[in-house]
Amino acid sequence: MRRAVRAVGRALHLPFTGTARGIRKATHAHGAGESGLGKLIELHGVNGAGDVMITVALASTVFFSVPTGQARGRVALYLAITMLPFTLLAPVIGPLLDRLPHGRRAAMAGSMLARALLALVLAGAAAGGGLELYPAALGVLVASKAYGVVRSAVVPRLLPPRFSLVKANSRVTLGGLLATGVAAPAAAGLHMIGPSWPLYGAFVIFISGTVLSFQLPHKVDSAKGEAKALLAADEEHLHGPHLHLHVPHRPGSEADRKAKEAAGEAAGVAAGVAAGKAAQDARDAKDAKAAKDAAKKEKRPSLRTVGPAVTHALVVNASQRCLSGFLIFFLAFLLRDHPMSGQSAAVSLSIVGVSAGAGNALGTAVGAWLKARAPEIIIVTVVAVVVGVAVLSALFFSAAFTACLAAVAGFAQALSKLSLDALIQRDVPEQVRNSAFARSETTLQMAWVVGGGIGISLPLNGALGLGVAAAIVGTGWLTTVKGLLAAARHGGQAHGRVV
């Protein structure tokens, strides 16, 4: 009997342990286990699973539970209440994290714990229809972006040998996408039990993420290489050894006279040395004061001072994020009232959503295998493809072209974002890298909101909407393609680390 029970226990236990071993083997491959990148991939997967649980719960509460006209108002209210305060809070995230170079694991754990607690608040609001839904959603957004900023700054410290930044970023992102794909159906199943159940699932996931954050390597918290530059050497290097003269003294002799003369000459030399040293000290003090004054006046590195590659890449990524927000909201309302032929609104939305998700996953997977030497070229190429597909979709509007545009846009957005992250990690000094990521994330988030606002306000005409989509991404590409190609030819602006 005992043997039978043990055999049944092993049979039930094997799928879970086998799956866990398979995941660990995949995330720790190619040196990622030794460098610590594998643990970050697993943590990012937990982050993605928790976020999608909250997204499913909010989508059902804000969008699907009311008619189309009322849903437009709710979505606009959600964007206004959550995103506008986010624009004020997000720029603060980076500088605050810059001042916590030793607490990155704690910052990531704090982000996970905050979202776990806010998920419980959202669960109560979803069940009772309370107004606390919107500030809690804002808190989740801020905590999620704080995690994203720290995670991006951590990747270069966990880079395995012979790994490009694009490849490492894509491995991490792909782990998050796979976890999202697994968690989304689970969230839908939990929602069938009750509107609050996906949020309870998010609570459990984020609590586990809090624990996993502290299992990252200790070098994540190291501030090595992030101190300010030393503008002057220390006292020992500024001045050489002092000159000491010793002459024997014999009074009342020629030797005594010569000794006195030698002593006088030595005194003159010593006086000259002392005078020279004093003058040198005065000059050093003046130089140190000038350097100190210059350091006070010098601006901290920012996105405007790190070279054209980052700024152009950010602009074109913002146009793609604007396109993403536009397509999400415009197609959501369009397909809800005018679904694809022979399909329901839910199936139509699912087709477009799966196409976008598959494109995004494929773009991330391609990034994982690329040995990128010029992220600028990747951005120019994939966005050009998006512009072409968007123009064709506007001219020949159909369900097939719409799904194709969603897939291509997802593919390009994934590769472009990976390339932007690589450029920031390459060109921005570590001292202010968190701030750079925070500013870029804020810019991209606001571009997404602008696109969503345009999508909500437009009339539900497919050809018109996709024409606007082509104009959005085309403008971003045309205004940056020349600068990105020039930056690629010159190899970008390679900044050394601040040490």
Side-chain angles (χ1 to χ4, degrees):
M1 183 66 180
R2 287 184 178 179
R3 291 181 179 178
V5 172
R6 288 177 182 175
V8 172
R10 283 195 295 268
L12 294 175
H13 191 247
L14 183 60
F16 299 100
T17 56
T19 301
R21 282 196 293 267
I23 293 173
R24 178 57 60 91
K25 183 178 179 180
T27 57
H28 285 57
H30 305 106
E34 292 78 4
S35 70
L37 183 66
K39 292 185 177 180
L40 181 63
I41 294 173
E42 294 169 359
L43 178 64
H44 192 61
V46 170
N47 176 80
D51 277 346
V52 78
M53 289 276 182
I54 292 180
T55 300
V56 169
L58 289 177
S60 62
T61 303
V62 176
F63 181 74
F64 289 106
S65 60
V66 293
T68 302
Q70 189 176 349
R72 279 195 171 193
R74 280 197 176 190
V75 171
L77 179 64
Y78 173 80
L79 291 177
I81 292 180
T82 59
M83 299 300 178
L84 291 181
F86 176 76
T87 61
L88 301 177
L89 294 175
V92 181
I93 296 174
L96 284 178
L97 294 174
D98 282 337
R99 306 193 193 299
L100 295 172
H102 299 286
R104 292 190 178 118
R105 293 187 302 167
M108 299 173 89
S111 167
M112 295 283 183
L113 181 60
R115 280 179 284 174
L117 299 177
L118 288 170
L120 295 180
V121 176
L122 287 170
L131 292 177
E132 63 269 21
L133 172 73
Y134 297 104
L138 171 63
V140 169
L141 182 63
V142 171
S144 179
K145 292 307 174 185
Y147 162 83
V149 168
V150 180
R151 189 264 301 172
S152 297
V154 161
V155 170
R157 292 200 169 276
L158 302 178
L159 207 62
R162 297 181 297 277
F163 253 58
S164 68
L165 287 170
V166 171
K167 185 175 181 179
N169 286 328
S170 61
R171 286 278 295 270
V172 175
T173 305
L174 185 59
L177 286 174
L178 293 176
T180 298
V182 173
L190 289 173
H191 185 265
M192 296 178 66
I193 302 175
S196 300
W197 279 88
L199 296 166
Y200 296 142
F203 171 79
V204 175
I205 291 172
F206 283 129
I207 288 295
S208 66
T210 303
V211 177
L212 289 175
S213 297
F214 288 107
Q215 295 182 6
L216 291 173
H218 290 282
K219 61 184 176 182
V220 166
D221 287 334
S222 172
K224 183 179 180 181
E226 297 183 22
K228 293 182 179 179
L230 184 64
L231 299 179
D234 55 28
E235 186 71 18
E236 179 181 354
H237 292 88
L238 283 174
H239 307 295
H242 295 290
L243 177 63
H244 297 281
L245 296 177
H246 177 72
V247 181
H249 176 62
R250 293 182 182 179
S253 66
E254 182 64 22
D256 183 47
R257 184 181 63 79
K258 292 181 179 181
K260 287 182 180 180
E261 291 178 357
E265 293 176 0
V269 172
V273 171
K277 182 178 181 301
Q280 181 65 37
D281 288 343
R283 286 193 297 270
D284 291 338
K286 184 177 180 180
D287 292 343
K289 185 177 184 301
K292 186 176 180 181
D293 293 339
K296 288 181 179 179
K297 294 180 181 179
E298 183 182 4
K299 293 182 178 179
R300 289 170 64 85
S302 67
L303 290 177
R304 294 184 178 182
T305 60
V306 295
V310 173
T311 53
H312 288 310
L314 179 59
V315 170
V316 75
N317 268 270
S319 70
Q320 290 184 90
R321 194 63 65 91
C322 184
L323 173 68
S324 174
F326 174 83
L327 291 178
I328 287 173
F329 290 101
F330 178 75
L331 293 179
F333 289 110
L334 176 68
L335 296 176
R336 185 171 177 176
D337 283 359
H338 308 286
M340 297 178 180
S341 58
Q343 305 294 339
S344 64
V347 173
S348 300
L349 288 171
S350 298
I351 291 174
V352 174
V354 169
S355 300
N360 196 281
L362 180 61
T364 305
V366 170
W369 295 103
L370 279 179
K371 296 181 179 179
R373 300 301 179 192
E376 301 93 338
I377 299 298
I378 295 175
I379 296 173
V380 169
T381 304
V382 296
V383 179
V385 175
V386 176
V387 173
V389 175
V391 171
L392 290 175
S393 300
L395 294 176
F396 308 102
F397 176 74
S398 66
F401 268 111
T402 302
C404 181
L405 175 59
V408 173
F411 177 85
Q413 182 177 318
L415 269 179
S416 297
K417 182 60 169 65
L418 292 171
S419 300
L420 172 62
D421 288 347
L423 287 172
I424 293 176
Q425 290 164 344
R426 185 193 73 186
D427 290 355
V428 178
E430 287 190 53
Q431 182 187 0
V432 290
R433 192 173 287 161
N434 283 332
S435 295
F437 276 117
R439 293 183 185 185
S440 67
E441 287 294 333
T442 303
T443 302
L444 297 179
Q445 190 69 40
M446 290 313 302
W448 185 85
V449 173
V450 171
I454 297 172
I456 294 172
S457 62
L458 276 184
L460 299 180
N461 182 295
L464 172 64
L466 296 190
V468 173
I472 290 172
V473 69
T475 301
W477 185 78
L478 290 173
T479 56
T480 58
V481 58
K482 184 177 180 180
L484 285 170
L485 291 176
R489 283 195 299 270
H490 293 90
Q493 182 174 341
H495 288 266
R497 291 186 177 182
V498 179
V499 294

